[in-house]
Every structure is written in structure tokens, then in C-alpha cells.
Amino acid sequence: MDKNNTLKKLIDTISATDIKSIQKSFANHIACSLSKDTYSATKLDIYKSIAYTVRDRLVERWIATQQSYYDNDVKRVYYLSLEFLMGRALGNNLINLDFLDECHKALHELGYELEEICETEWDAGLGNGGLGRLAACFLDSMATLELPAYGYGIRYEYGIFFQGILNGYQVELPDNWLRYGNPWEFERPEHLYPVKFYGRVGEYTDEKGILRSEWIDTQTIMAMAYDTPIPGYRNNTVNNLRLWSARASREFDLESFNEGNYFKAAEEKQRSETISKILYPVDKIHTGKKLRLKQQYFFVSATLQDIIRRYKKTHTSFDLFPDKVAIQLNDTHPAIAIPELMHILIDKEGISWEKAWDITVNTFAYTNHTILPEALEKWSIHLIGELLPRHLQIIYEINHRFLESVKSKYPDDADRLCRMSLIEEGNEKQVRMSHLAIVGSHSTNGVAALHTQILKTTVFRDFLELYPDRFNNKTNGITQRRWLKKCNPALSKLISDTIGDGWLKNLEDLKKLIPFAGNKAFCETWRHIKKGNKIRLAEYIKQTTNIVVNTDSLFCCHIKRIHEYKRQLMNIMHVIFLYNSLKNNSIENFVPRTILFGGKAAPGYFIAKLIIKLINSVADVVNNDPDIGDKLKVVFLPNYQVSMAERIIPAADLSEQISTSGMEASGTGNMKFALNGSLTIGTLDGANIEIMNEVGYDNIFIFGLTEKEVDHIKRVGYNPYEYYRNNTALKTAIDMIANGYFSSSDISLFTPITNSLLKSDQYMVLADFASYVNCHVLVSKLYRDQDEWTKKSIINVARIGKFSSDRTIHEYARDIWNVKSVPIRLNGK
């Protein structure tokens, strides 16, 4: 009997996507997978059953995809990221597999509604902000473009945290997203790798008389793989996201248990598995720093072992490794992979330093996501030496050889050597991980044109002069399948009915909408869809916060990670200005506004958490003032995540992208809002500049200082107090905050915020405030003319095609990875 053919026939029977086959599979899973019937099945059971039904239809493609990669010995891309903010999988998988309608009808006939079932799914807690969401969009695009690619990260048991709001303050709770299981993942206990820490480095002479190093007397933690299938859109490609979960090398100490020491019996298991418990442990204490570095090395070590295992299936030497393996480092978090690969090649495979280094540099590529000094990772020499003593030796050797090459080109420039060194001198020596990533990679890219230019001219100028061919730009993008088709079905349908659905694979097709911006009936339908989205969001706001908002008001949305440079503070100060204007009747024909905030602050970021409190305190005053009514509402939606963004973005009228110029690397929220017809108010920062260039200056609201102006003012001396003293509205807003208008029970509560603004104002809030207020006046003027507003909304959607992650990934594949599409055939198709 041919086992393979028999198995394929069985798989074929569970791959059908007609309504009857879906219903049969769904019923089978309720009974056989969950041991329930229609009377005892809960909402969660119904969700799991349809998830298993959809997963079944991924399996054949998944197996065929992986086998095709082996059969053709293709070059593969490995995308290493500490975050993958995936969002809910059910709806996205149905769209990509192209049987959303069939599934909806199949369930409807059985008395269930797909939309309600989708709401049961818990967001995967694998990321925090733009970094993780970008990684998720990239996985979708890599599969859609049929690229042989894998994602690698950590399977966090509790994610970052579940954000509650108590008395206006952020409260961090465990995000137990795995409490009820994850039907999309496959446990792979056969892929279990040892990851070592601590120990010491010994030396020995091998059989050829060569002195070798050996990392010995180590502690070991095991990394176990969990796989999640990632389908492409309307093709047979299903790629793999592999996440690592920490396991103890010794699960249970029976001797301690028998002696009555029950806690000690399980102590090693608890200590080991802490590594994959949460994303971004607080690193203000030494143990937090140590855990972060452990996390980074843990997933990097397991990943490289897995990559090399796969490579060795078809290759006996490492000569072709860079021709078959491309590893992309998503920021500096995985940069420890560079000395790890050197350790493997030199110490385990016996390859010479020179050859190992050539392999390493030609394998790795590095994406930089920030220019903020505090975000450019550095690890203390002491900590690396304690946890990874062999890697510290390798880093020192990399640095020595690198500085020798710099010295040979710039022989009399000691300052340059100091600036470029991988080791930062000071009271505590530190390894500059961004420098390590640049030196150990053949490509370094920024994620927006301005960001890349800043990297080249300031942050990494010395490296550009040394490696001019290594630097390039890859402007970020988003997947239109999730961020329009899935999250805004009504608008998606209108677009497809009008110009066809080619935009789902080629977003530039949206340009075909331009002639319809002047079509009265089309514009009316466009407005009707927006209003419906706003009504649905208003219902969610009422349900979540008990705040009733005016659906005819201008929905201004500021949803992103809470950070001073993103300037949620400037937005809430503008709210105070609007509040005062309404109280004083100083604005004629006031345009009602709903100001919507969402985002999490890092647990250790005091000022960001205080800004959340300020937003909620202002909201309490504004929302409960009878003089204001429904003219102005302020809402902070707790626990912002992907599924919430999918509610907010389709309903937004105005997208707040107001970071200090030169601070935001790219941003992708700006792209998502524009794709859904929001107009943008923003600074000339990140991808805002490129969005402006695409949609046109007349179709976006730009304000504030440019990056060069910010730099100039800081160099000549910035005095924020002058702006405070000379702007009555600004002074009034700050004084109200400082004097306890929004914190009557604790007048000094917000003193850290007002002191920061008046004494340093690092992010130029006061300098840009007047321009921001004036720009909002233009917003109000345009919003009163709904015909013109709708026209500009349509133009924004029509001209946003550049910002598909498909375009971004195509550029990575062509310019950095040198990988080709591999179409997957099923049964000869």
C-alpha cells in the first residue's frame, strides 16, 4: 500500500470548501474533537469547531508548501522578531483561503452567525505595537507573494499585559490569551532544542593541532516549537510561524519531593519557563534586564539550531549557506544571533574565523526601527559575560577586527574609532547592539525615506561612509487583506463592486477610484458606509466605557503606543483648548468632536502612564459638563489591540499622526487610517511625508516644525517657557493642569508633566501647539463641507496603493534577500 497516496486521498476529503463539506467537518469537530453536541456546546466550542474546520483546509497546502521547498532546494527567508502582533486568525484565514462566503452560509444554515463566532476569538498576545504588527503584515505578504519564508519568535504565555483602567490609571493584568487553548497552533515536541546559559569557556587542541574554544559547565533550558500556518491570499502557499516555548531540562525533582521539599521539586521548571512567560519584562531592575537578554538569546539559539537542522537535510557543508538562507533581524532584539552563528560555525563546525565571518555577514540583514537613543539597545559587558561568556569573547574579537579595518581606512581618527566601536566605554561598558547588527549584516535598512536619511546623515553616518552599499530604505506597508477587506467589509464591497477586486493583490488598482470622487451617488454611498461604521463603534464605546458619543461628530482617533514623542499630550491639551472655547463661546459654528485615544504604556514608563491618567481625568470633566453636552467627548478605550483597531479605523474621520518630526521611524497606523478613508492630521515625520506625496498636499493636514527645524531650534537653544508665556490658550491649558482643575483631590498630581513641558519639553509640544490648533481649524472648516470632505476621503484611499506590505516585501526579496517566488501546486494544479 502506498501510504502517501492513501494519506493524500484522506486529506482531500477534508479540504473541500463547499457548504455541505464545511457543515460536515464542523459537526465532526463538535462531536469528535470536543466531545460535545449542539445542546452542550458553548460559544467557545462553536468557535473552536469552525477554527478546526478552517485549519483542516490549511493542512494540505501547508504540507505541500513545505515539501515543495525541500524538493526544489530553494533559498528561504527567516524573519526573526521578538513580536508578532497577529490579531484574530479566523476571519483572516477565511479571506485568504477564499471561502468566507461559503463558511458564512454554512454556519447560517446551522443557526450560527460567523460574525458573532469571530468575536469569541482572543487576540494572540504576541506583541505590543507597530513592530509586531508590521511583522504580522509581512508574514501575510510573504505567503501571498509565494515566497519561501518562516517567522520565528517566542510563544509568550501572557503576552505583554491586559490593560485595565482603574480610577483613570493604567493597571497591568496578565493577558492569559492561552487560557482556553489556541486552535491554530500545532505543538511540535519533536523539535526540542537545548539552549545554554552561564558556564565558562575552556580551551583545547583539536586533532589538527588547532586551538579551539569550548563553552562548558552551562545551565540548559529547552526550547519547544509551536507552529502556526500562515496562508497566502488566493494561492496554495501556507508558510510557517514557529514560536518557542521554554521548558525545563529537568521537569521534576523527585528526590526533593520525596524529602518533603515540594516547592524545590518544581523550582527548576518554574525558573526555566519564566523565559517565555511575558513580553518585555520591566528592565529597570537587574533581574528584568537579565530576563530580557535571556529571552533574546533563547529564541535566537533555538531558531539557528532549527535553521541549520533544515539546511543540513540537503547540504553537507556550509559553503552554500548564504545562498540558501536569508535571516532578517527585525530590530536589534535578535542581533545576538550574529555571535551565535559565529559560535556555531567556529566552535561546533570547525570553520575558520574568516570563512565563518563571510558566511555570517552574507546571511544576515538588519532592519532598524528607531533613532531614539534609549531604544537603540545596549547590554552591559558584565551581563553578557555572565550569561553568554563565549559570545562576549566573540563580540570582542569581532570588534577588534572591525576596528582594525576602520583604523586602516582612517588611520588618524581616534574619535571615529570610539564612535564606531561595538563597545561603548563609560562607567559600565556596554555592547551597542545596533553597531553589532550593522557590522554583522550585508544590509541595513530604514523603514521610511526620512528615517533612512536620518540614519545615514546622523545616527549611523560613520557606518555609511565605511559601508555605502549596505544602507537602503524599505518604506513599511500594511496588508490590505486585513486592513480593508476584513476590517471594513462594506467599504471593501463598494470598492470591489466599482473597480473589481484586483486591488486585493495589487493595491495600486485603487487609483481606478479617482474618477468616482466626483460621482454624487458613489459619494453618498461612501458617506453612508462611514456613518454605519461610526454607529457600530459608538455602540462599542457605550458598551465598553458607558460613554455616549454623537455619531454626527468628527471622530478624531489617536491610537498607538503611549509615548511622549507620539504626543498624546499635545492632543489632550488641544481638547482642553476646545473645552475652554466651548465654555467661553469663543468658536462660532463649532464642529462637534469625539476624541478617541487607545494604547498601552510600558509598565515602567512613569510619564506615559501619567499621561493616560491625565487623558482620563480630562475626559471625566469634559464628558460630565452639562454645558458641553455632546459637542465634545473624550474616550480612552482600554486594552488597545488589533481587534480593537479593526473596529476603530473604519469609523475614523481624522487620523492623528502628530509625533515630533524626526522621531517616528515610519508608522503604519497612518497607512491603515488612510486606506479606510480617514484624513490625516500630522507632522512631516516618518511615512507621513510619503503619504502626503502620494495623496497630495491638499488632501492631508500638515502642521508643525520639520525635522531640520527641530534640530536647529535644539542646537541654538530651545526655551519652552517662551511659548508658554506668549500663547494665552497654551498657558491656560497648562495652568489648568498644574493647578488641579482636572485633579482636585491631588493638585500636584500632574506636576511631573507640567514641569517637564516648561523646563525641557524634549518633544517640542509647546513649540508645535499653535500650529496644531490652527491646523484643526482647517479640519473643522473642511468637515462642514461634507461633499468636499468625502471627495478627499476617496482620494486618500485611491492614492494609498504604494503602502501595501506586498510592495515592501517585494523590495526586500529583490534587493536584500535575493529570493524568488515558489508557486505551490496541488494535485497538478
Side-chain angles (χ1 to χ4, degrees):
M1 178 188 292
D2 187 336
K3 291 181 181 178
N4 238 4
N5 283 335
T6 303
L7 182 61
K8 286 189 79 172
K9 288 177 182 177
L10 290 172
I11 290 174
D12 287 343
T13 64
I14 62 168
S15 297
T17 56
D18 60 278
I19 291 173
K20 292 302 177 187
S21 296
I22 293 169
Q23 291 173 336
K24 182 178 178 181
S25 182
F26 173 73
N28 283 341
H29 279 300
I30 287 180
C32 301
S33 299
L34 301 173
S35 190
K36 296 287 185 76
D37 58 24
T38 54
Y39 299 103
S40 60
T42 65
K43 286 184 178 180
L44 181 64
D45 294 324
I46 300 303
Y47 158 68
K48 282 189 171 181
S49 297
I50 194 60
Y52 288 137
T53 299
V54 176
R55 194 180 77 167
D56 288 344
R57 282 142 185 83
L58 289 168
V59 168
E60 182 184 14
R61 292 175 170 90
W62 200 13
I63 293 171
T65 299
Q66 304 310 311
Q67 193 57 52
S68 178
Y69 296 163
Y70 279 113
D71 292 345
N72 294 289
D73 191 23
V74 297
K75 184 174 186 178
R76 310 177 200 212
V77 175
Y78 298 98
Y79 196 83
L80 275 59
S81 180
L82 208 56
E83 294 186 40
F84 286 96
L85 196 56
M86 302 301 292
R88 292 169 174 166
L90 177 56
N92 199 71
N93 286 342
L94 284 170
I95 287 169
N96 281 10
L97 291 172
D98 201 23
F99 70 102
L100 177 67
D101 291 342
E102 290 80 0
C103 191
H104 181 277
K105 292 172 185 174
L107 289 169
H108 183 74
E109 287 181 7
L110 296 175
Y112 303 106
E113 294 304 323
L114 180 60
E115 292 81 2
E116 293 177 13
I117 295 171
C118 287
E119 288 298 314
T120 306
E121 183 174 1
W122 199 268
D123 280 52
L126 300 170
N128 177 34
L131 185 81
R133 187 51 236 170
L134 180 75
C137 284
F138 279 5
L139 291 183
D140 180 273
S141 287
M142 285 186 260
T144 297
L145 295 179
E146 301 178 304
L147 297 176
Y150 302 74
Y152 277 98
I154 296 178
R155 181 182 180 265
Y156 303 103
E157 189 174 342
Y158 294 109
I160 183 164
F161 60 82
F162 183 97
Q163 182 194 53
I165 300 295
L166 183 63
N167 297 324
Y169 290 96
Q170 170 178 292
V171 178
E172 297 100 26
L173 304 167
D175 180 12
N176 196 359
W177 70 283
L178 290 169
R179 178 190 290 114
Y180 303 114
N182 176 10
W184 301 104
E185 69 181 6
F186 290 80
E187 186 179 72
R188 303 295 194 194
E190 70 274 21
H191 295 304
L192 191 68
Y193 296 106
V195 178
K196 298 178 178 182
F197 295 99
Y198 302 104
R200 60 187 178 87
V201 181
E203 292 184 339
Y204 69 96
T205 304
D206 68 12
E207 65 276 4
K208 296 179 181 177
I210 299 173
L211 186 66
R212 298 286 185 189
S213 295
E214 185 180 16
W215 188 15
I216 56 177
D217 300 334
T218 56
Q219 295 180 16
T220 301
I221 292 171
M222 307 305 294
M224 190 166 82
Y226 286 79
D227 289 349
T228 300
I230 307 294
Y233 177 69
R234 286 185 179 174
N235 62 29
N236 294 322
T237 297
V238 177
N239 283 333
N240 196 45
L241 170 61
R242 176 158 287 182
L243 303 174
W244 301 106
S245 182
R247 295 288 185 269
S249 58
R250 188 180 180 193
E251 287 276 326
F252 192 74
D253 185 347
L254 187 60
E255 183 178 345
S256 295
F257 187 86
N258 288 336
E259 290 173 353
N261 196 339
Y262 306 132
F263 289 107
K264 186 179 178 183
E267 183 179 15
E268 183 177 341
K269 175 180 172 64
Q270 292 173 340
R271 185 173 59 246
S272 299
E273 295 181 2
T274 298
I275 284 182
S276 56
K277 288 292 183 187
I278 66 167
L279 169 66
Y280 298 143
V282 176
D283 62 355
K284 290 187 178 296
I285 55 175
H286 179 71
T287 52
K289 286 186 172 72
K290 183 183 288 188
L291 181 55
R292 276 207 186 193
L293 181 56
K294 275 188 169 183
Q295 284 184 331
Q296 293 181 8
Y297 180 69
F298 165 77
F299 105 87
V300 155
S301 173
T303 298
L304 283 174
Q305 290 180 71
D306 201 43
I307 291 170
I308 290 170
R309 170 196 62 81
R310 192 175 290 116
Y311 173 80
K312 283 186 170 182
K313 280 190 173 185
T314 50
H315 299 275
T316 56
S317 80
F318 282 83
D319 293 347
L320 295 178
F321 195 75
D323 296 325
K324 298 298 179 181
V325 173
I327 300 177
Q328 189 71 37
L329 306 175
N330 192 27
D331 219 344
T332 54
H333 306 130
I336 198 70
I338 291 167
E340 170 68 0
L341 183 56
M342 289 294 289
H343 161 59
I344 293 169
L345 295 176
I346 295 167
D347 297 342
K348 297 182 179 180
E349 301 295 336
I351 295 173
S352 68
W353 178 280
E354 291 74 15
K355 184 175 180 180
W357 184 244
D358 184 65
I359 291 170
T360 297
V361 171
N362 285 295
T363 297
F364 285 107
Y366 160 54
T367 299
N368 174 277
H369 284 278
T370 184
I371 61 166
L372 298 179
E374 67 269 23
L376 291 171
E377 276 195 315
K378 300 170 186 175
W379 291 111
S380 78
I381 292 295
H382 173 76
L383 183 57
I384 295 179
E386 178 189 0
L387 289 179
L388 307 168
R390 178 56 179 147
H391 297 71
L392 181 57
Q393 287 185 346
I394 291 171
I395 290 169
Y396 270 128
E397 183 62 21
I398 292 171
N399 194 43
H400 169 72
R401 292 175 182 240
F402 169 66
L403 291 181
E404 286 297 311
S405 69
V406 175
K407 196 184 299 180
S408 67
K409 188 169 183 179
Y410 307 98
D412 301 313
D413 196 341
D415 288 342
R416 183 183 292 265
L417 291 178
C418 184
R419 292 194 305 266
M420 297 184 74
S421 175
L422 274 57
I423 311 299
E424 182 177 271
E425 303 295 333
N427 294 332
E428 182 183 37
K429 289 186 177 181
Q430 298 185 98
V431 177
R432 297 159 163 160
M433 301 306 286
S434 57
H435 291 202
L436 175 62
I438 293 169
V439 172
S441 301
H442 67 274
S443 168
T444 294
N445 72 278
V447 291
L450 175 63
H451 170 237
T452 302
Q453 188 61 25
I454 293 172
L455 293 181
K456 289 180 175 182
T457 56
T458 58
V459 184
F460 300 135
R461 185 180 62 188
D462 292 326
F463 290 94
L464 175 72
E465 292 172 358
L466 184 66
Y467 302 132
D469 296 333
R470 291 192 185 183
F471 285 80
N472 60 94
N473 177 59
K474 298 289 174 280
T475 297
N476 284 342
I478 58 174
T479 168
Q480 60 267 36
R481 272 80 60 182
R482 180 179 289 274
W483 293 111
L484 183 51
K485 171 74 172 174
K486 179 179 183 292
C487 77
N488 201 342
L491 186 61
S492 171
K493 184 177 187 302
L494 174 65
I495 291 170
S496 293
D497 288 347
T498 304
I499 63 169
D501 65 0
W503 60 271
L504 283 158
K505 278 203 168 184
N506 179 15
L507 199 58
E508 293 283 1
D509 269 13
L510 291 178
K511 283 190 171 69
K512 297 175 183 176
L513 288 172
I514 292 174
F516 294 91
N519 183 297
K520 188 174 181 180
F522 183 82
C523 289
E524 187 60 39
T525 305
W526 190 276
R527 276 195 296 273
H528 177 74
I529 289 169
K530 178 66 75 173
K531 183 64 180 289
N533 291 337
K534 291 171 76 170
I535 290 170
R536 280 184 288 277
L537 178 58
E539 291 168 353
Y540 178 77
I541 291 170
K542 174 70 167 64
Q543 175 188 347
T544 306
T545 67
N546 207 32
I547 297 172
V548 177
V549 301
N550 176 4
T551 57
D552 290 324
S553 66
L554 175 68
F555 277 27
C556 307
C557 298
H558 201 166
I559 52 171
K560 52 184 72 230
R561 181 167 54 92
I562 308 297
H563 194 290
E564 288 166 278
Y565 87 82
K566 294 178 183 287
R567 301 202 292 192
Q568 287 91 351
L569 185 54
M570 185 162 67
N571 192 342
I572 199 63
M573 287 169 62
H574 179 244
V575 170
I576 297 170
F577 165 77
L578 293 175
Y579 173 73
N580 290 333
S581 299
L582 284 168
K583 295 287 283 185
N584 299 331
N585 293 313
S586 59
I587 297 181
E588 292 184 14
N589 197 14
F590 183 86
V591 172
R593 274 175 164 77
T594 297
I595 316 294
L596 192 63
F597 293 90
K600 296 178 181 180
Y605 194 171
F606 169 74
I607 287 291
K609 294 172 77 169
L610 194 59
I611 289 170
I612 291 176
K613 170 60 176 171
L614 176 61
I615 291 169
N616 284 304
S617 295
V618 172
D620 284 342
V621 172
V622 171
N623 297 344
N624 293 295
D625 190 325
D627 293 338
I628 303 303
D630 65 357
K631 296 187 186 74
L632 181 64
K633 294 291 183 182
V634 183
V635 179
F636 188 97
L637 282 171
N639 203 43
Y640 175 65
Q641 54 190 342
V642 174
S643 57
M644 186 185 291
E646 291 176 22
R647 293 179 187 273
I648 295 170
I649 290 171
D653 294 306
L654 189 70
S655 162
E656 298 270 354
Q657 307 297 330
I658 61 176
S659 54
T660 314
S661 287
M663 297 288 182
E664 185 73 81
S666 169
T668 54
N670 44 12
M671 304 169 190
K672 294 162 192 164
F673 279 107
L675 181 61
N676 282 270
S678 297
L679 272 60
T680 301
I681 182 170
T683 51
L684 289 173
D685 193 28
N688 290 353
I689 299 169
E690 291 163 81
I691 291 174
M692 178 189 71
N693 292 338
E694 293 296 313
V695 305
Y697 184 79
D698 292 340
N699 299 304
I700 190 171
F701 299 99
I702 296 297
F703 75 94
L705 300 167
T706 66
E707 179 266 330
K708 288 182 179 178
E709 289 169 339
V710 168
D711 183 59
H712 173 73
I713 290 174
K714 286 186 174 181
R715 277 191 288 107
V716 300
Y718 173 47
N719 182 4
Y721 196 85
E722 286 296 311
Y723 291 87
Y724 164 79
R725 190 177 63 185
N726 294 324
N727 185 322
T728 303
L730 175 61
K731 184 178 185 300
T732 302
I734 292 176
D735 288 349
M736 290 172 72
I737 297 169
N739 296 332
Y741 191 92
F742 305 103
S743 56
S744 56
S745 61
D746 184 357
I747 293 175
S748 63
L749 177 62
F750 300 118
T751 299
I753 290 176
T754 54
N755 281 351
S756 173
L757 287 174
L758 295 175
K759 292 179 181 178
S760 60
D761 191 20
Q762 181 181 357
Y763 300 104
M764 315 291 280
V765 172
L766 274 58
D768 273 348
F769 184 76
S771 178
Y772 181 57
V773 170
N774 292 335
C775 198
H776 262 286
V777 172
L778 299 178
V779 171
S780 297
K781 181 180 179 181
L782 182 66
Y783 195 71
R784 293 188 196 103
D785 185 346
Q786 278 293 293
D787 289 341
E788 191 63 22
W789 184 280
T790 303
K791 179 181 177 181
K792 290 181 183 294
S793 171
I794 295 167
I795 292 297
N796 266 262
V797 175
R799 294 180 178 171
I800 204 69
K802 170 184 174 178
F803 300 99
S804 170
S805 51
D806 296 349
R807 185 268 312 154
T808 313
I809 288 300
H810 173 74
E811 291 176 2
Y812 273 98
R814 180 193 65 202
D815 302 337
I816 298 176
W817 302 332
N818 191 28
V819 294
K820 308 293 184 185
S821 295
V822 180
I824 304 301
R825 297 186 176 278
L826 294 178
N827 302 323
K829 297 180 182 178

